[in-house]
Amino acid sequence: MDCIFCKIIKKEVVSEVVFEDEIFVAFKTIAPMAPVHVLIVPKKHIVSVDKLEDSDLELAGKLILTARNLARDLNVSEKGYKLIFHTGKHGEQEIEHLHLHLLGGAKMKEEIKIIEE
C-alpha cells in the first residue's frame, strides 16, 4: 500500500508525532492552518468516514475522545478548537486514510464555498 499515513504509522516516513498508542498516531501536519494543527490517524487503514463499518463504532468513539484529550494536552481546550473530517473528493479529502484534523490556538472562522461540478 502506498498510503503516506500508513508509512508514517510504520515509521517509514518521519513526522512530528505528538501522541501514539496501540490504536492511533497523531502528528503535526506539514501545512498547518492554525497554531496547533494535528492529524489524528487510526493505525487501521480505513479510507474515509464513509467507509467506516458498524464494527468500527468503538474506534470512531475513541477517535473523538483522543482528539479531546490532545486538545487538553496541547492547551487549546479552554479557549476552544475545531475538529474536521474531510470525506471524499467533494469533501476535499486529500489522503485516502481516515484522519481527524484538530485545529486550535487562534480564533477560526468557518468558510464554505460551494462549487458545482
Side-chain angles (χ1 to χ4, degrees):
M1 188 173 300
D2 200 30
C3 170
I4 188 69
F5 290 168
C6 288
K7 289 179 178 181
I8 290 170
I9 291 163
K10 294 176 187 172
K11 311 283 191 248
E12 295 171 0
V13 172
V14 176
S15 65
E16 193 172 342
V17 174
V18 296
F19 171 82
E20 184 171 6
D21 66 9
E22 64 281 349
I23 304 170
F24 304 107
V25 64
F27 50 90
K28 293 183 179 181
T29 181
I30 59 170
M33 297 171 54
V36 172
H37 188 169
V38 173
L39 303 179
I40 307 159
V41 180
K43 290 183 175 180
K44 176 182 177 183
H45 185 87
I46 301 169
V47 171
S48 70
V49 170
D50 192 55
K51 300 301 181 186
L52 284 166
E53 302 284 340
D54 290 344
S55 60
D56 294 317
L57 178 63
E58 186 175 354
L59 180 141
K62 285 183 177 181
L63 180 57
I64 302 295
L65 294 178
T66 298
R68 178 206 61 192
N69 294 341
L70 275 170
R72 291 174 180 171
D73 293 347
L74 297 170
N75 299 313
V76 296
S77 173
E78 188 174 314
K79 289 189 177 180
Y81 53 94
K82 188 179 281 194
L83 298 176
I84 301 171
F85 285 107
H86 295 281
T87 305
K89 180 181 175 185
H90 285 189
E92 298 183 338
Q93 182 178 1
E94 294 179 14
I95 308 295
E96 290 190 343
H97 188 128
L98 176 67
H99 57 286
L100 177 58
H101 294 256
L102 164 61
L103 298 101
K107 187 169 173 78
M108 291 170 274
K109 295 182 179 180
E110 178 95 21
E111 289 188 31
I112 298 176
K113 296 177 184 174
I114 298 174
I115 301 169
E116 292 192 34
E117 287 190 24

